[in-house]
Amino acid sequence: MSKQYDHADAAPRSSASSSDTGSIEGDKNDRRKSLGDLDYDEFVGSDRRPGPSTQDAVPVDDVSHSGRDRRARDLLLNTNLHSVAASPQIDETEQIEAVNEKPISWRALPRKDQLLVLTLSRLSEPLTQTSLGSYIFYQLRSFDPTLPDSTISYQVGIVHASFPAAQFLTAIAWGRFADSEHGGRKRVIWIGLLGTMFSMIGFGFSHSFPMAVLFRCLGGVLNGNIGVMRTMVSEIIKEKKYQSRAFLILPMTFNVGVIIGPILGGLLADPVGSYPSVFGPDSLLGGKTGFQWLKTYPYALPNLMSAIFLLFSVIGVLLFLEETSELCKHKPDTGLRIGRWIRRHIFRHQISDGYSAIPTYDFADVELQTTPISATSPGFPSTPLADRPKPRAKLPFRRIWTSNLIFTLISHGLLAMHVGTFNSLWFIFLSTPRYDPSSPNPPPPYHPNPPFHFTGGLALPPPRIGLALAILGVIGITLQLFLYPTLSHKMGAAKCFRSFILLFPLTYALTPFLSTIPSWSEAPKGASGPAVWAAITGVLSIQVAARTFALPCSAILINNASPHPSVLGTVHGIAQSVSSLTRTFGPIMFGYIFGRGLDIGMVGLAWWILGCVAIAGAIAGRFLYEGDGHAILLEGEER
């Protein structure tokens, strides 16, 4: 909602007499009473600022002779959009002043209860997806131990690509379903979590490469969550000044999952082989014969653990997440009613009754930030269906393709391609055997000749791969908590995005040289020693710094490139579909190139070509700009 209604309070006329001033102060007290439970300082005092022109200010004479109807009209005088069908917009004055204000603190974010539910839902997915990386190379090798490392690398790329490939086919459909009156945001999210849960169970019990790919595809087909979650964040947090914090939550949650997921995956993979005294024959838990099913399916346990996390996320969404779609938020929600009963009677939470409507005034055009976002949330006034505002008109699909949206999607797709490919190649590179002169691959007459002709990975076992991936998450969440909010606030989303994507090519150029760092252990054992881990941390610091700033800014740019609020879910669905498409080709193509590089003795081949893709993405980023989320006005809408 625009906050231009407080001009009379923020910039009273300098020529006003003391009696006028007294009238104004007395009228403020009257207003405070008329707003009921709403704290007056929250309504006009917390963000006081002069209006863009003196014509917008409420005249002193009008204030001094105030009445209930006049006060209601004054409060509604300066809303940006005069149509009930349109959503409030942020004007240019607020955009400029948002930059000049101090960064918003985490405690200042509204609707933290809903953001918490979304955070936990988002956490379950990277937790499960990243846990695969610590053991997927070894799981695929267990299907057929006779395959060469180059073939296994290619298969890893296919497995990683199968999930986004399936998402590409369905992401737009999920976005459209989330925007429709028969679907809604909440329904899409819990279906996606449930589908991912079943796919993880199937993947853990797979016994062949095609079966593993099939279950990964199943998870992708049923999951369109990230785009819908971004849509919900933008609908919960509507003011621009909160966006740098709010849109940071989802990528920050990803980094938390990156910390925990790989560690759990590495520790739980092949438990009989890793912990024979606990799970093997004559063991503490295994008994005389041990856990036979863990011998048959050595990588099922981490997937079952992931399924448990996903199940809890599904329950949390059903019971506590409120719908934000204009077309669905007024529908009854049995799960939310059960969740409120649980909070009141089991957890003894005092659920606020919220702010009820003021019957005397017409506040249809005003949407208070702290008003519950769902008709089924506590305290929502029981308005008859006939009296509810009609849903806003929806922008036709053919009209959403503005030039800014197209450039933003191109840049976003290239970013998703090389970031997703890095995650896949990083798993492969850490698992690939080191170059061993006593058993060289490729065979003689090949001889390593840096800086370009050298080969081999780091040969890290699953627990150490989990540790290497956890380093990535620790660095990322540290930067997101202490550095990103301040810099992004000062620089703005577009400038921040353009600046930090320049770090990606540097990361990809340096990564293959990790295999040349002196190690305490000789090949074929896994690389070890302080020099190796210092180099890993250094390379990851550059990559994570770039990702920490680029990904949240990319989400903000996509959100604000939406030409109309009615297609916001569709736009995020398109963005997810584009990123899914590029993340499909990236791992497959570069997994193949990485395998070819191993065959010819040039492990950096895939990395350096990936750096060229990152350069192309940096060039594309020069052509986008940050929009306002409402570039097109439909009939009956005004700014």
Side-chain angles (χ1 to χ4, degrees), residues 245-258:
R245 291 279 185 180
F247 278 98
L248 181 60
I249 292 176
L250 297 185
M252 187 169 65
T253 303
F254 177 85
N255 277 327
V256 174
V258 169

Side-chain angles (χ1 to χ4, degrees), residues 260-326:
I260 303 174
I263 293 178
L264 284 178
L267 292 177
L268 298 179
D270 191 15
V272 175
S274 301
Y275 314 103
S277 60
V278 179
F279 297 98
D282 298 321
S283 62
L284 179 64
L285 299 178
K288 184 177 181 180
T289 59
F291 286 95
Q292 294 298 320
W293 69 275
L294 287 178
K295 290 182 179 180
T296 307
Y297 304 102
Y299 301 98
L301 188 59
N303 285 276
L304 289 175
M305 185 63 66
S306 297
I308 293 174
F309 282 117
L310 288 162
L311 179 60
F312 279 113
S313 298
V314 172
I315 295 173
V317 168
L318 288 173
L319 297 183
F320 304 114
L321 186 63
E322 300 172 7
E323 180 61 65
T324 61
S325 170
E326 291 291 338

Side-chain angles (χ1 to χ4, degrees), residues 54-120:
T54 58
Q55 294 177 352
D56 292 332
V58 179
V60 174
D61 293 339
D62 289 345
V63 175
S64 62
H65 302 287
S66 60
R68 292 173 67 91
D69 295 336
R70 182 179 299 279
R71 286 194 296 271
R73 289 194 298 269
D74 291 343
L75 289 173
L76 294 172
L77 180 62
N78 292 308
T79 53
N80 280 349
L81 299 180
H82 299 284
S83 169
V84 176
S87 65
Q89 294 296 301
I90 306 298
D91 62 16
E92 294 180 0
T93 304
E94 282 192 328
Q95 293 182 20
I96 296 172
E97 289 171 346
V99 176
N100 296 328
E101 293 176 354
K102 293 181 180 180
I104 298 298
S105 65
W106 291 106
R107 294 182 62 184
L109 281 176
R111 294 316 309 267
K112 288 184 279 291
D113 59 331
Q114 293 302 290
L115 294 177
L116 176 61
V117 177
L118 285 177
T119 298
L120 295 178

Side-chain angles (χ1 to χ4, degrees), residues 2-12 47-58 78 91 93-94 97:
S2 174
K3 295 191 175 182
Q4 297 178 14
Y5 44 68
D6 59 334
H7 299 330
D9 299 314
D47 291 294
R48 296 178 182 175
R49 58 177 70 92
S53 68
T54 58
Q55 294 177 352
D56 292 332
V58 179
N78 292 308
D91 62 16
T93 304
E94 282 192 328
E97 289 171 346

Side-chain angles (χ1 to χ4, degrees), residues 22 29 48 55 64 90 102 132 136 178 198 228 262 277 322 332 367 383 395 445 513 558 636:
N29 294 330
R48 296 178 182 175
Q55 294 177 352
S64 62
I90 306 298
K102 293 181 180 180
L132 298 176
I136 188 171
F198 286 121
V228 178
S277 60
E322 300 172 7
E367 183 174 355
T383 307
L395 187 72
F513 290 98
I558 291 171

Side-chain angles (χ1 to χ4, degrees), residues 542-596:
I542 301 173
Q543 202 272 346
V544 174
R547 192 185 69 184
T548 297
F549 286 84
L551 293 182
C553 290
S554 178
I556 293 175
L557 292 172
I558 291 171
N559 186 77
N560 294 339
S562 174
H564 193 269
S566 65
V567 293
L568 185 60
T570 301
V571 167
H572 281 293
I574 294 172
Q576 184 175 354
S577 184
V578 170
S579 65
S580 297
L581 177 63
T582 57
R583 287 188 294 119
T584 298
F585 286 111
I588 294 177
M589 180 172 60
F590 284 95
Y592 173 78
I593 296 174
F594 186 86
R596 291 296 301 159

Side-chain angles (χ1 to χ4, degrees), residues 124-359:
S124 62
E125 293 191 46
L127 195 72
T128 57
Q129 304 298 334
T130 58
S131 68
L132 298 176
S134 57
Y135 59 82
I136 188 171
F137 189 91
Y138 300 97
Q139 182 177 7
L140 295 180
R141 175 178 282 173
S142 69
F143 295 155
D144 188 354
T146 63
L147 294 177
D149 294 335
S150 59
T151 302
I152 298 295
S153 300
Y154 182 56
Q155 288 183 346
V156 171
I158 294 176
V159 170
H160 279 294
S162 58
F163 188 89
Q167 277 189 325
F168 166 72
L169 299 175
T170 59
I172 296 179
W174 284 120
R176 302 283 285 179
F177 185 63
D179 280 338
S180 71
E181 61 180 338
H182 303 292
R185 325 293 195 213
K186 179 175 178 176
R187 181 172 296 179
V188 171
I189 290 177
W190 70 257
I191 290 175
L193 292 172
L194 202 62
T196 305
M197 183 189 76
F198 286 121
S199 72
M200 294 301 296
I201 295 175
F203 186 86
F205 286 92
S206 297
H207 50 73
S208 65
F209 171 68
M211 187 176 179
V213 172
L214 175 64
F215 279 107
R216 290 292 289 166
C217 288
L218 174 64
V221 165
L222 297 176
N223 191 314
N225 283 4
I226 183 61
V228 178
M229 287 180 179
R230 288 171 179 165
T231 304
M232 292 194 75
V233 170
S234 67
E235 290 173 332
I236 295 171
I237 309 299
K238 297 192 175 184
E239 293 192 68
K240 193 179 188 68
K241 64 180 181 179
Y242 296 111
Q243 284 188 349
S244 62
R245 291 279 185 180
F247 278 98
L248 181 60
I249 292 176
L250 297 185
M252 187 169 65
T253 303
F254 177 85
N255 277 327
V256 174
V258 169
I259 296 172
I260 303 174
I263 293 178
L264 284 178
L267 292 177
L268 298 179
D270 191 15
V272 175
S274 301
Y275 314 103
S277 60
V278 179
F279 297 98
D282 298 321
S283 62
L284 179 64
L285 299 178
K288 184 177 181 180
T289 59
F291 286 95
Q292 294 298 320
W293 69 275
L294 287 178
K295 290 182 179 180
T296 307
Y297 304 102
Y299 301 98
L301 188 59
N303 285 276
L304 289 175
M305 185 63 66
S306 297
I308 293 174
F309 282 117
L310 288 162
L311 179 60
F312 279 113
S313 298
V314 172
I315 295 173
V317 168
L318 288 173
L319 297 183
F320 304 114
L321 186 63
E322 300 172 7
E323 180 61 65
T324 61
S325 170
E326 291 291 338
L327 297 176
C328 301
K329 65 160 66 172
H330 299 293
K331 295 181 179 180
D333 191 331
T334 304
L336 197 59
R337 288 200 297 268
I338 296 174
R340 290 205 305 273
W341 185 91
I342 292 174
R343 291 174 62 186
R344 284 174 177 151
H345 296 88
I346 297 180
F347 296 106
R348 302 297 181 182
H349 287 175
Q350 297 296 327
I351 302 177
S352 173
D353 289 333
Y355 303 129
S356 59
I358 302 175

Side-chain angles (χ1 to χ4, degrees), residues 376-437:
T376 55
S377 59
F380 195 94
S382 55
T383 307
L385 290 175
D387 297 335
R388 290 176 182 168
K390 296 180 180 179
R392 59 171 173 249
K394 189 171 182 178
L395 187 72
F397 185 77
R398 66 180 184 278
R399 295 185 61 190
I400 71 176
W401 303 102
T402 62
S403 59
N404 186 44
L405 177 61
I406 292 173
F407 281 118
T408 303
L409 290 174
I410 292 173
S411 180
H412 174 71
L414 291 173
L415 174 66
M417 180 179 186
H418 62 75
V419 170
T421 302
F422 173 85
N423 294 333
S424 176
L425 287 184
W426 184 247
F427 300 147
I428 301 172
F429 181 66
L430 295 180
S431 306
T432 300
R434 298 170 64 192
Y435 179 76
D436 186 2

